[in-house]
Amino acid sequence: MQYRPATSDETDLVAAVTVDEPVGWIPADRYRDELRQRMYRPEWTWLAVDEQDGGRIVGRALWWGPPTAAHPLDLDCLWVDASVAGREKVAAELLSAGLKAFAAGGAQQLPIFTVKVARGWRDDPAAAAAVGWRHEAARAAGLGHEVERLQLAWTPDSGLPAVGNRLRFASASDAEFLATFRRIAVGSLDDGTRKKVAEQGAEAAAQDDLDFYLNCLGERDWWRLVYDAEDGELVGLAIPSATPYARNVGYLGVLPEYRGRGHINEILAEITRFQAAAGAELITATTDMGNAPMAAAFERAGYRITEIRLISSAPTTTDPEETAT
């Protein structure tokens, strides 16, 4: 079996792959469209080629990144033909080959691997099997840290969440946002935040968050710091943002000393109303399954769960508590 990146001449072969399992996958039209935009690239598209079967493509891994990115951020679609013996082993070797190439090319962090499934996927034998061999391959390739995230959406038929009066929202400098990101990371229930703090330290993790949202499609002047309307003390931040596909919630957070007071509801309502006022017919959001307070806030604001995202990444070697304080 040969594992290698695709060539520009193989676009038709790559696009022709279909996935008949109940997991999210990238069909031909989306692959071609985002290939033109450089969100998929031949060098990020890795193939398993059976040389003993006439060079037949039996595996495909599609890594994705923003058009300006030097390295991919996410593995969007992993497929190995069901006829292949040892499917999970071939998948693991395909992943390992791609990840090693990205690291050799200068990538400082390995891209994550996202498998999209419907709610209740564990009760669907076909979905559970599809997830099973993919996760086995991911673990073998070094992506052993797993978290389950909720993908949510708000649409106008949900109605606008109520306006609060306890908070004030104001523009601020990048330096002020950076400092607020740093403070919000302490004690966060968000797995991604905790993992970044453990890997990079709180200061670098905050800078990474700031840089990420500066590079998103949302406008910088949408961002707001959040203050107590009565005493003027800083409470948190609100970042409405956007993806290539929809406006989204982006980032919102409350400082540790203000958590548990219901402020998250008012911040989420502000972001939702801001995006709706701009004409958004769809506002997307994500949160960890284990972040119960945030998931509950989304439900109260009229967001519904549209899918589950199972995310595999390289595990951390540092205790988050060592760098979060």
Side-chain angles (χ1 to χ4, degrees), residues 233-264:
E233 291 295 314
L234 180 66
V235 170
L237 59 75
I239 298 182
S241 192
T243 72
Y245 317 107
R247 290 208 177 207
N248 68 1
V249 169
Y251 191 104
L252 69 162
V254 175
L255 299 179
E257 59 267 34
Y258 284 97
R259 289 171 187 158
R261 305 186 191 183
H263 291 313
I264 201 70

Side-chain angles (χ1 to χ4, degrees), residues 214-234:
L214 285 172
N215 285 304
C216 285
L217 294 181
E219 300 295 331
R220 172 61 178 83
D221 61 11
W222 298 353
W223 300 15
R224 297 291 183 268
L225 287 185
V226 183
Y227 300 89
D228 186 290
E230 190 170 314
D231 62 21
E233 291 295 314
L234 180 66

Side-chain angles (χ1 to χ4, degrees), residues 71-154:
H71 308 286
L73 301 183
D74 193 356
L75 174 59
D76 266 357
C77 184
L78 175 64
W79 164 83
V80 174
D81 193 283
S83 67
V84 174
R87 195 179 197 185
E88 63 285 343
K89 183 176 184 295
V90 170
E93 291 176 350
L94 176 59
L95 291 186
S96 296
L99 294 174
K100 287 177 183 176
F102 301 144
Q108 297 299 304
Q109 293 181 328
L110 294 180
I112 64 174
F113 172 27
T114 301
V115 180
K116 300 177 182 180
V117 289
R119 294 182 73 177
W121 65 271
R122 288 181 175 85
D123 299 322
D124 177 352
V131 169
W133 70 260
R134 287 173 170 85
H135 274 185
E136 188 173 339
R139 294 182 198 115
L143 304 179
H145 181 83
E146 298 171 2
V147 64
E148 196 159 336
R149 288 181 66 80
L150 306 174
Q151 177 72 13
L152 306 111
W154 178 94

Side-chain angles (χ1 to χ4, degrees), residues 8-9 22-23 34 42 49 121 126 128 138 173 197 204 209 228 230 249 285 322:
S8 56
D9 293 335
V23 296
E34 297 191 17
V49 180
W121 65 271
S173 68
V197 169
D209 283 333
D228 186 290
E230 190 170 314
V249 169
E322 294 178 4

Side-chain angles (χ1 to χ4, degrees), residues 5 13 15 18 66 83 91 118 123 148 150 170 179 184 186 194 287:
L13 292 172
T18 59
S83 67
D123 299 322
E148 196 159 336
L150 306 174
I184 286 173
V186 176
R194 292 175 62 84
T287 193

Side-chain angles (χ1 to χ4, degrees), residues 21 51 85 157 161 227 250 266-267:
E21 299 164 286
E51 296 173 298
D157 59 297
Y227 300 89
E266 194 168 336
I267 297 173

